[in-house]
């Protein structure tokens, strides 16, 4: 079953994947020129390192919103057509419970999203490695892991909202997701707080999905 669902989901998400890939290339090219301009206009280059370490100036920080957008785009591309066409209900005749089928779809979405985040993160790390020392690159690597994890959580939240049929739960999940976004966009620089939020969100989704 998983193989057939994976092929179906891949065919459905293929255009979305290509669109994201092309967008990432364009964004990273722009980021490369922008970062190169900053380093060429600020001397010595250690001043840029100082700004990163002491002033928490991270030129890639806005990518956090891009990671979040990835989660939302994948969720809507994957589940919205199914809900509109009511195709998920057609799988009830299969020898699996609805929960197993939904979680299979979610797992496939998480795999594809993780792959996309990894490609973008590797591209970003490859760029910054030419400008920053390895200690800072390590921090950037940790940030990309954090952003990717947030993207996956938001993907699960968005998927849960799209699939929800109960109006009260639907509204509650929207509010909960908005609070999640607010907490992240407000406190993203505080990694420890962010991890606590992620832990609570994961626990909530495990209990309520």
């Amino acid at each position: 079953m998983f193989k057939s669902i994976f092929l179906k989901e891949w065919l459905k998400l293929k255009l979305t994947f290509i669109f994201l890939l092309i967008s990432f290339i364009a964004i990273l090219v722009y980021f490369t020129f922008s970062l190169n301009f900053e380093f060429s206009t600020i001397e010595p280059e250690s001043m840029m390192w100082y700004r990163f370490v002491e002033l928490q100036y991270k030129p890639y920080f806005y990518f956090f919103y891009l990671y979040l957008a990835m989660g939302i785009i994948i969720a809507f591309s994957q589940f919205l057509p199914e809900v509109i066409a009511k195709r998920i209900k057609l799988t009830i005749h299969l020898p699996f419970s609805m929960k197993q089928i939904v979680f299979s779809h979610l797992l496939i979405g998480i795999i594809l999203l993780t792959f996309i985040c990894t490609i973008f993160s590797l591209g970003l790390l490859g760029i910054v490695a030419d400008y920053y020392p390895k200690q800072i690159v390590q921090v950037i690597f940790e940030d990309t892991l954090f952003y990717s994890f947030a993207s996956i959580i938001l993907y699960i939240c968005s998927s849960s909202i799209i699939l929800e049929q109960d109006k009260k739960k639907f509204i509650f999940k929207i509010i909960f997701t908005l609070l999640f976004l607010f907490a992240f966009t407000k406190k993203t620089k505080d990694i420890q707080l962010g991890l606590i939020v992620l832990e609570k969100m994961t626990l909530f989704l495990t209990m309520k999905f």
Side-chain angles (χ1 to χ4, degrees):
M1 180 193 74
F2 184 80
K3 183 178 180 180
S4 61
I5 293 179
F6 182 85
L7 291 175
K8 178 177 75 71
E9 294 302 291
W10 166 246
L11 291 175
K12 182 170 58 180
L13 295 173
K14 183 169 63 175
L15 291 179
T16 302
F17 180 85
I18 294 174
F19 167 76
L20 289 174
L21 186 61
I22 294 174
S23 300
F24 293 164
I25 293 174
I27 290 171
L28 288 176
V29 168
Y30 173 80
F31 176 75
T32 302
F33 281 107
S34 176
L35 189 64
N36 183 69
F37 177 78
E38 286 195 71
F39 269 87
S40 63
T41 54
I42 297 179
E43 294 185 359
E45 63 179 12
S46 58
M47 284 299 299
M48 285 290 291
W49 304 347
Y50 172 83
R51 292 174 67 189
F52 187 101
V53 175
E54 298 296 333
L55 304 180
Q56 290 297 300
Y57 172 72
K58 300 180 178 181
Y60 60 88
F61 176 74
Y62 61 90
F63 286 159
F64 169 69
Y65 302 100
L66 180 62
Y67 279 83
L68 294 182
M70 279 191 273
I72 296 174
I73 291 172
I74 293 295
F76 273 78
S77 300
Q78 184 180 12
F79 289 107
L80 194 58
E82 302 286 341
V83 172
I84 293 175
K86 298 181 179 180
R87 287 194 290 261
I88 290 183
K89 292 184 178 180
L90 298 178
T91 60
I92 294 178
H93 68 280
L94 296 174
F96 301 97
S97 67
M98 178 60 71
K99 182 175 289 188
Q100 287 177 311
I101 294 172
V102 170
F103 272 95
S104 295
H105 282 75
L106 282 173
L107 179 59
I108 293 169
I110 291 173
I111 291 173
L112 291 176
L113 179 58
T114 301
F115 183 68
I116 293 173
C117 288
T118 301
I119 291 176
F120 185 79
S121 297
L122 290 176
L124 175 61
L125 292 171
I127 294 170
V128 297
D130 290 333
Y131 296 91
Y132 291 100
K134 61 180 181 180
Q135 293 86 352
I136 293 181
V137 174
Q138 176 65 31
V139 174
I140 299 175
F141 170 70
E142 293 172 359
D143 283 345
T144 59
L145 289 180
F146 181 68
Y147 296 170
S148 298
F149 193 24
S151 178
I152 292 173
I153 295 298
L154 187 56
Y155 160 77
I156 296 174
C157 291
S158 301
S159 301
S160 177
I161 291 172
I162 296 170
L163 294 173
E164 185 58 62
Q165 296 180 344
D166 184 277
K167 290 184 178 180
K168 291 183 179 180
K169 290 183 179 179
F170 177 79
I171 295 174
F172 179 75
K173 288 181 179 181
I174 289 179
I175 295 174
F176 200 87
T177 301
L178 290 176
L179 290 175
F180 162 75
L181 286 174
F182 177 78
F184 259 67
T185 55
K186 198 73 175 176
K187 299 293 185 179
T188 300
K189 292 182 179 181
D190 188 343
I191 300 299
Q192 188 63 39
L193 177 59
L195 290 176
I196 294 175
V197 174
L198 283 173
E199 181 182 354
K200 299 298 183 183
M201 175 64 72
T202 303
L203 178 60
F204 167 79
L205 291 171
T206 303
M207 297 171 59
K208 297 292 186 181
F209 198 96

